[in-house]
Structures are given as structure tokens and as C-alpha cells.
Amino acid sequence: MNALSRREEETLLKATKARALKECDSVVKEFAACAEGRTISVSWACRDKLKIVQDCMVQL
């Protein structure tokens, strides 16, 4: 089994993160809109939207 070099690992992580953000853009925007102007209340007010974002990111 071949291990990735640190550079390869970082490149793969960046590519995966970019893809996840692109694929999940609409749900991330919904969460951001919900969180806008909130501080502590974001924890409960936007909980459902955060779960959707997390689920989307995990699927990729």
C-alpha cells in the first residue's frame, strides 16, 4: 500500500474541500442567510440548516 506524501495529501484535501463547497453551495448559502445577524441564537435557530450542510459535505 502506498502512502500519500504530505504535499499530495494537502492537494487532495484542498480539491475535496473545493468540490464539497461547490456541490453544497445552495445549502451553505441557506445556512449563511439564516445565521446572518445572529450570534448565540444561531445554535438553535439554524440547527436544521447546519445539519443539511453537514450531511451534504459528508456525502462527497
Side-chain angles (χ1 to χ4, degrees), residues 23-39:
E23 297 286 329
C24 300
D25 186 59
S26 63
V27 292
V28 170
K29 284 181 179 176
E30 287 181 33
F31 173 74
C34 178
E36 189 174 340
R38 298 179 189 268
T39 54

Side-chain angles (χ1 to χ4, degrees), residues 35-57:
E36 189 174 340
R38 298 179 189 268
T39 54
I40 297 171
S41 67
V42 74
S43 297
W44 61 85
C46 305
R47 184 179 326 172
D48 295 339
K49 292 186 185 333
L50 177 60
K51 175 79 170 109
I52 293 169
V53 169
Q54 291 171 331
D55 290 345
C56 182
M57 297 275 186

Side-chain angles (χ1 to χ4, degrees), residues 2-15:
N2 295 331
L4 295 175
S5 71
R6 183 69 182 144
R7 182 180 208 153
E8 291 170 326
E9 186 178 322
E10 288 175 0
T11 301
L12 182 60
L13 182 59
K14 285 180 184 178

